[in-house]
Amino acid sequence: MSTPNSALRAVRMGLLMSQDDFARAIREAGTRAGQPNDANKRLVQRWEAGTTAAPRPVYARALEAVTGLPIESLGFAPVPMARVSDDGHGGHDLVDSPTGVPVANGTPTPQTAPRGNYSGVWLSRYEFVSSGRDNEVFVGLHHVVLLQHGNRLTGRSLPNASVNPDSPLTLDLQIEGNVVTGTWTEQTATEGYYRGARYFGAIQMIVEPTGRRMAGKWAGFGKDHDVNTGPWELRFLDADTGKATLDRYNRPPDA
């Protein structure tokens, strides 16, 4: 039995696109790139149902163009292992890892059943220190759509729902009891302070007994290639992921 591709579905919903809209956008992206394709609603349904494990290259390139994400982040291929390499200057670099977090020995750990279903709209809030701005503390806020399938939780910020415009956030998480562990990626705004830089790293949070709040820490590489960390929390807002609800939250959160 196929496993639904909840990552792709979360991204599509985060873009506020129907399956027809998504297929049309993929066709248009192919045409712009000089590589026409025949994407349609039925193909999108097969992708999201998991019956197509990997799209053909022409579709993969169009998917990346439409979503702004690498194909590995769209649920189609396993994340490559991270490798630590000597940089020749007394330090080490992390290479060949789009997410920054390897799977231990390449083998998934045993899974335990999640305590609840966390699908819905959540408020994401994290703090970070900007070394280039006198170590001032800044807050990142996004309205995020989370979708759960088994122990996996995938998320995507709504297109107009961040305090800093044009800075989409994606989450790929795993639930173990009341512990949530995974990775995050944020593409900063082209016109913003970080000039379109893509940041990524790890995240681990504890789910409160009510299931309405997750709180913990993030870790990731900074502008100067040092490892930074800070607090991160998700607060539950609405279990509904229908278009009317997503439209209502498709705005910057209140600071």
Side-chain angles (χ1 to χ4, degrees), residues 4 6 15 20 24 34 73 91 115 173 204 213 228 242:
S6 55
L15 293 171
D20 275 324
R24 186 180 308 112
S73 297
R115 296 187 176 185
L173 308 171
Q204 189 163 58
R213 179 175 179 264
N228 299 320

Side-chain angles (χ1 to χ4, degrees), residues 17 20 30-32 39 54 67 72 77-78 101 122 125 128 134-135 152 169 176 188 190 199 204 221 245:
M17 289 184 178
D20 275 324
T31 300
R32 288 194 300 271
T67 64
E72 294 87 354
V101 180
W122 293 68
R125 183 186 189 279
F128 67 99
D134 298 323
N135 291 324
R152 190 178 181 194
L169 172 70
E176 292 283 346
T188 62
T190 303
Y199 290 94
Q204 189 163 58
F221 286 100
T245 299

Side-chain angles (χ1 to χ4, degrees), residues 18-32:
S18 67
Q19 291 176 333
D20 275 324
D21 294 335
F22 196 55
R24 186 180 308 112
I26 292 169
R27 292 196 302 272
E28 292 173 351
T31 300
R32 288 194 300 271

Side-chain angles (χ1 to χ4, degrees), residues 159-184:
N160 301 311
S162 63
V163 169
N164 298 313
D166 301 321
S167 59
L169 172 70
T170 59
L171 300 169
D172 190 355
L173 308 171
Q174 179 175 295
I175 307 166
E176 292 283 346
N178 67 335
V179 178
V180 175
T181 305
T183 61
W184 60 270

